[in-house]
Amino acid sequence: MFIGSVPKDVMLQMHHIVDFENYNNAWVLCSGSFRVDSSISSTYEKLKVHSNDVNILSVSIGQLAVNETVKFEFINKLAFVEEYLTSRNGCGFIDRVASIAASMQIAKFSSKNEYNQIHQKHIIQNFGIFHQKAKESIQRLLDKLPIASFTPGDFIEQAKKARPETDIVIAFPPTYKGGYERIFKFVSENISWVPPEYAIFDPKTLDRFLLELMDRDISFCVYGDQEMENLKCGGKFLSNTNKPIYLYVNNIERSSFRRKSQTSRQFKYQEFDPATATAKSIVNVTRMDSAQMTFLKNVYLAKRISHVSGMFNYCVFIDGKLAGGIILSLSKYGDIESLYVLSDFSVSRNNRLSKLIAMIATSKDIVSEIERRTLLKFKQLCTTVFTEKPVSMKYRGIWNLYSRKEGFLNYHSPVRNQSPQQIYIEWFNKYNK
Ligand SMILES: C[S@@+](CC[C@H](N)C(=O)[O-])C[C@H]1O[C@@H](n2cnc3c(N)ncnc32)[C@H](O)[C@@H]1O
């Protein structure tokens, strides 16, 4: 549906480099496919994500995401789309937006040769199928796009709204001058609307834009396809098919040392007693926010350690009672296929309950929920145990000891292809003694 999305491994690098928990607002410029917006807004619940773009499809999706609409009419070669929409009962704004996306398929075959003409005819004749597919993928995108605002308009103007200290600018501006205007030429000629005012961006001026942000002391993470000597490059991504992508960052190191607020919010719960576990007990894993998890960490984790906040917090409930907590984060060590378990704790030391929590931390249900939120893919989990002992009794037999270092042990585990309930049954039969 979109051209020029940020590649997934490039996006993962952004998650490693930027500590989004330090910011109140993220200004995502040139949102395009909303891949970045979706990944960060679904991952960091407290971060307000502000999106922006100028093309008719991204503008319409952005407005849909904030429950607004855009006025436009299909005309000329796309006039049949208006008839198609009128002939269907109960069409909403999402149907109109899906029709733009389906029309982009026609645009791909807009030159006059016979091959293209046959393709165009096929899409027009089967427009309903293309429309339905586009509607489903837009709906999937909207389901994980909790953005705070959307502004149609020039990204350089939008960047002026960012404030030092509390805000960060994220952008992947066009890498060809006028490239997006060419991509949207067909729909612009055949859909009548009032486009937002903006200047066609010349990628040669990217350094000027970044230097302006630096002058204003704004944190940023911006992608470009040119190496700029006067700017610090936080990463370079090579691919066989596309030009390299460079990642420019500012203020990031400073901001990652900023003190994190560890707000704690109390909630009512009953503790699970492992002696009451039965083969029929029901296990539920619930997502928690970081303030609730801070409250539990203060109760169950060693007080002498300053515990870092994780990105993903879960509690394990057995028969409705709290059995333990799991705090995960993206690996900070550039290992793009691993999730890092910052801590997993149980409410009781009895019956090896802690083993159950450490096993559930690797459940496919938890990992795939994080994958859906971050749009990333993970093969394994890692954790560190700070101990002078040669093995950890908790992880022994359920995770693999990967390395032994002075004062700590590194454990790895593949993702368990089991639900928390299936893991519970395994634990119940093997360890609950
Ligand atoms: C490289 S794409 C963005 C990729 C996006 N981050 C993603 O992952 O899909 C560039 C986007 O910039 C938008 N754009 C072009 N000129 C713009 C301008 N002056 N202001 C705001 N957006 C602009 C285009 O419509 C296009 O969607």
Side-chain angles (χ1 to χ4, degrees):
M1 195 159 68
F2 291 98
I3 296 164
S5 297
V6 174
K8 287 193 175 175
D9 51 349
V10 175
M11 205 171 63
L12 178 66
Q13 188 66 14
M14 173 193 72
H15 275 285
H16 286 306
I17 291 180
V18 182
D19 207 340
F20 284 101
E21 296 214 328
N22 285 325
Y23 299 99
N24 299 340
N25 295 289
W27 299 89
V28 182
L29 312 176
C30 305
S31 295
S33 65
F34 294 89
R35 183 177 269 181
V36 169
D37 318 51
S38 170
S39 177
I40 61 175
S41 61
S42 313
T43 306
Y44 302 92
E45 283 159 13
K46 291 204 180 107
L47 183 73
K48 287 200 181 95
V49 175
H50 306 276
S51 305
N52 149 268
D53 208 290
V54 290
N55 78 64
I56 186 164
L57 180 57
S58 305
V59 167
S60 303
I61 293 176
Q63 298 291 33
L64 249 180
V66 293
N67 296 319
E68 296 287 339
T69 58
V70 184
K71 269 205 176 130
F72 55 83
E73 191 188 344
F74 294 91
I75 54 168
N76 305 332
K77 288 185 181 159
L78 292 175
F80 77 93
V81 178
E82 285 298 339
E83 288 163 28
Y84 164 81
L85 290 167
T86 328
S87 71
R88 283 167 46 112
N89 284 334
C91 273
F93 183 54
I94 187 167
D95 289 283
R96 298 189 67 75
V97 182
S99 299
I100 306 175
S103 302
M104 291 294 293
Q105 303 285 328
I106 302 176
K108 275 196 211 156
F109 301 101
S110 55
S111 55
K112 293 234 160 16
N113 65 53
E114 200 185 340
Y115 170 86
N116 279 313
Q117 293 301 304
I118 292 170
H119 271 82
Q120 266 207 353
K121 209 168 147 194
H122 169 76
I123 300 170
I124 294 169
Q125 280 171 351
N126 297 284
F127 193 77
I129 299 171
F130 285 86
H131 172 263
Q132 186 54 32
K133 266 187 142 175
K135 184 174 172 181
E136 285 162 14
S137 77
I138 291 171
Q139 190 56 61
R140 276 196 302 277
L141 170 61
L142 292 172
D143 289 344
K144 31 183 195 183
L145 195 57
I147 52 174
S149 75
F150 177 80
T151 308
D154 198 84
F155 76 87
I156 294 182
E157 286 303 308
Q158 176 79 340
K160 293 182 181 158
K161 296 180 185 164
R163 298 276 158 261
E165 292 285 322
T166 52
D167 295 10
I168 180 159
V169 161
I170 310 284
F172 187 10
T175 51
Y176 292 95
K177 189 174 179 190
Y180 280 87
E181 286 65 27
R182 274 194 294 282
I183 293 168
F184 284 91
K185 184 171 181 279
F186 177 84
V187 287
S188 305
E189 287 170 353
N190 295 293
I191 300 178
S192 125
W193 74 309
V194 183
E197 273 184 24
Y198 73 98
I200 294 186
F201 178 65
D202 182 350
K204 286 197 197 104
T205 63
L206 184 64
D207 56 350
R208 203 186 307 156
F209 171 61
L210 299 183
L211 291 168
E212 269 170 32
L213 292 177
M214 287 169 91
D215 277 352
R216 292 171 47 217
D217 208 17
I218 302 292
S219 301
F220 62 77
C221 177
V222 173
Y223 302 103
D225 67 349
Q226 309 153 49
E227 203 158 8
M228 291 178 276
E229 280 170 12
N230 47 347
L231 285 155
K232 182 180 167 189
C233 182
K236 182 177 174 182
F237 304 91
L238 301 166
S239 86
N240 296 333
T241 45
N242 293 315
K243 287 205 264 177
I245 296 177
Y246 300 93
L247 177 62
Y248 294 97
V249 292
N250 182 46
N251 271 357
I252 305 292
E253 300 91 328
R254 201 191 66 189
S255 58
S256 54
F257 286 109
R258 227 180 273 161
R259 203 184 168 78
K260 287 180 194 158
S261 67
Q262 292 253 23
T263 328
S264 158
R265 196 170 57 254
Q266 215 171 333
F267 64 96
K268 258 193 179 169
Y269 65 90
Q270 282 182 292
E271 272 186 1
F272 174 69
D273 176 358
T276 65
T278 70
K280 290 197 171 148
S281 290
I282 304 290
V283 179
N284 283 305
V285 173
T286 307
R287 219 170 109 182
M288 311 301 281
D289 65 32
S290 49
Q292 291 169 312
M293 194 48 100
T294 301
F295 164 64
L296 291 179
K297 277 191 298 190
N298 293 341
V299 178
Y300 295 105
L301 290 178
K303 302 277 183 294
R304 62 196 159 79
I305 301 170
S306 156
H307 299 285
V308 272
S309 330
M311 292 172 173
F312 315 104
N313 303 298
Y314 298 90
C315 275
V316 178
F317 291 93
I318 303 178
D319 296 329
K321 295 182 178 166
L322 180 73
I326 301 162
I327 304 168
L328 302 113
S329 189
L330 296 177
S331 162
K332 288 265 175 198
Y333 308 109
D335 177 0
I336 60 168
E337 292 181 331
S338 301
L339 261 177
Y340 192 75
V341 176
L342 283 166
S343 30
D344 55 285
F345 57 86
S346 56
V347 299
S348 161
R349 287 169 171 265
N350 298 338
N351 300 37
R352 300 184 194 157
L353 185 64
S354 60
K355 263 190 158 32
L356 172 65
I357 308 300
M359 287 164 82
I360 288 182
T362 65
S363 162
K364 69 170 173 26
D365 289 18
I366 291 184
V367 175
S368 46
E369 206 247 351
I370 298 172
E371 288 177 339
R372 275 197 301 280
R373 282 160 72 188
T374 57
L375 308 182
L376 301 170
K377 198 105 199 101
F378 304 103
K379 279 198 181 142
Q380 64 166 4
L381 295 100
C382 320
T383 196
T384 311
V385 182
F386 294 93
T387 177
E388 297 301 332
K389 298 191 180 131
V391 285
S392 151
M393 294 312 282
K394 174 160 84 173
Y395 294 101
R396 193 172 73 160
I398 54 168
W399 283 57
N400 307 318
L401 180 58
Y402 177 73
S403 62
R404 228 178 242 134
K405 300 269 154 79
E406 184 86 28
F408 64 93
L409 306 168
N410 286 321
Y411 278 88
H412 286 188
S413 166
V415 178
R416 280 185 164 74
N417 197 20
Q418 292 169 294
S419 67
Q421 188 67 45
Q422 290 165 330
I423 292 174
Y424 170 82
I425 297 297
E426 187 185 327
W427 168 83
F428 183 78
N429 293 328
K430 210 163 164 184
Y431 297 111
N432 178 34
K433 290 174 185 129

